[in-house]
Amino acid sequence: MLRKNYIQILLILIIVILVVTNISQYKAKDLYASALTNQLNTDITELRSALSSNDLAYEEILQSDKLSKNQSNYLMGNNDEIRKTVDSYSTLAVQLGKETEKSQYTETQQNALKLTEYFKDLQGDNKEQILDSKAKNVLEKAQQLNKKWSNTMANTQITSIANDSWIELLTNLEKDTQSFLTENKIKSIEELWLERREIK
């Protein structure tokens, strides 16, 4: 009798421990998901801002036919923000098993990186640069790509890390980049200014 009660008590204790453990794990996962969602919302807001600011900067530069060091620095920073955000969430998608490893390295990241490097290279001196026709072409193409990304961003509503809206955003940004490269018959936006430097 005592042994039977002991076994029942032991089973009840095990069940209670399992229930408490599961509740704790659920709460931990819920807190983790909430923290990721907060970070996602912050990063998406910054991405929207970078794309919108780029649109305005490209327009201003192309209208004036001049590029200042401050504008180069601004565009360098914004394009690096685009690269970092896409890179960070492409990596997260792979880690969460939502995408395959090959999806981690995208043309969007690569072309945002190339634009970052391009504007970094233009910061050689403090003088305002007058755009020649080839430099103007690069900026027009950069604007074209940025507008594609901006339109996709404007048509995307992201509320939580738990749904796949952010995965769809990454996929659609990549489609935009691939479309841009195909339309311009290039493998990378870098081809536009590498050709320019060879001509010089």
Side-chain angles (χ1 to χ4, degrees):
M1 182 79 171
L2 184 63
R3 183 184 168 98
K4 189 177 177 184
N5 286 341
Y6 175 76
I7 291 170
Q8 284 179 338
I9 291 168
L10 189 60
L11 283 172
I12 289 168
L13 279 173
I14 289 169
I15 290 168
V16 167
I17 289 167
L18 287 172
V19 168
V20 169
T21 302
N22 283 338
I23 289 171
S24 296
Q25 286 178 342
Y26 176 79
K27 283 184 178 177
K29 282 182 184 177
D30 199 37
L31 284 171
Y32 182 64
S34 178
L36 278 178
T37 295
N38 288 340
Q39 187 60 54
L40 173 66
N41 287 331
T42 299
D43 292 339
I44 291 300
T45 298
E46 288 176 4
L47 179 58
R48 282 185 202 280
S49 176
L51 289 165
S52 176
S53 298
N54 275 0
D55 281 336
L56 294 172
Y58 288 131
E59 192 64 36
E60 184 181 316
I61 293 161
L62 288 167
Q63 282 183 358
S64 68
D65 283 335
K66 295 173 187 173
L67 177 67
S68 70
K69 183 173 180 177
N70 283 343
Q71 287 170 322
S72 293
N73 189 52
Y74 191 63
L75 289 167
M76 180 188 77
N78 283 344
N79 283 295
D80 195 46
E81 183 65 37
I82 296 164
R83 178 198 63 78
K84 284 191 294 188
T85 304
V86 172
D87 180 54
S88 175
Y89 286 96
S90 295
T91 300
L92 181 62
V94 171
Q95 290 170 342
L96 294 177
K98 291 181 174 285
E99 291 290 343
T100 60
E101 205 163 307
K102 67 177 184 177
S103 307
Q104 191 170 344
Y105 308 102
T106 67
E107 293 296 337
T108 304
Q109 291 161 262
Q110 286 302 308
N111 283 273
L113 173 62
K114 297 301 181 188
L115 285 167
T116 302
E117 291 170 347
Y118 177 75
F119 289 111
K120 184 179 180 181
D121 287 349
L122 292 180
Q123 296 180 342
D125 53 44
N126 290 317
K127 293 178 183 175
E128 193 171 59
Q129 296 182 33
I130 306 297
L131 301 180
D132 62 20
S133 61
K134 289 191 171 31
K136 192 169 182 179
N137 180 57
V138 170
L139 286 164
E140 284 170 347
K141 296 301 181 183
Q143 180 187 43
Q144 181 187 349
L145 177 56
N146 196 81
K147 279 190 175 177
K148 282 180 179 287
W149 291 339
S150 288
N151 289 338
T152 290
M153 194 79 246
N155 293 319
T156 304
Q157 184 66 38
I158 295 173
T159 54
S160 169
I161 201 81
N163 65 47
D164 286 346
S165 54
W166 60 280
I167 302 286
E168 288 170 22
L169 172 63
L170 294 174
T171 301
N172 289 334
L173 288 174
E174 185 64 5
K175 284 178 183 173
D176 290 337
T177 309
Q178 294 284 357
S179 167
F180 167 81
L181 295 174
T182 301
E183 286 166 11
N184 288 282
K185 298 184 172 81
I186 52 175
K187 292 182 180 176
S188 164
I189 198 166
E190 183 181 38
E191 288 180 29
L192 299 171
W193 57 85
L194 284 179
E195 181 182 282
R196 178 174 70 101
R197 286 173 186 160
E198 286 166 10
I199 289 170
K200 264 187 147 179

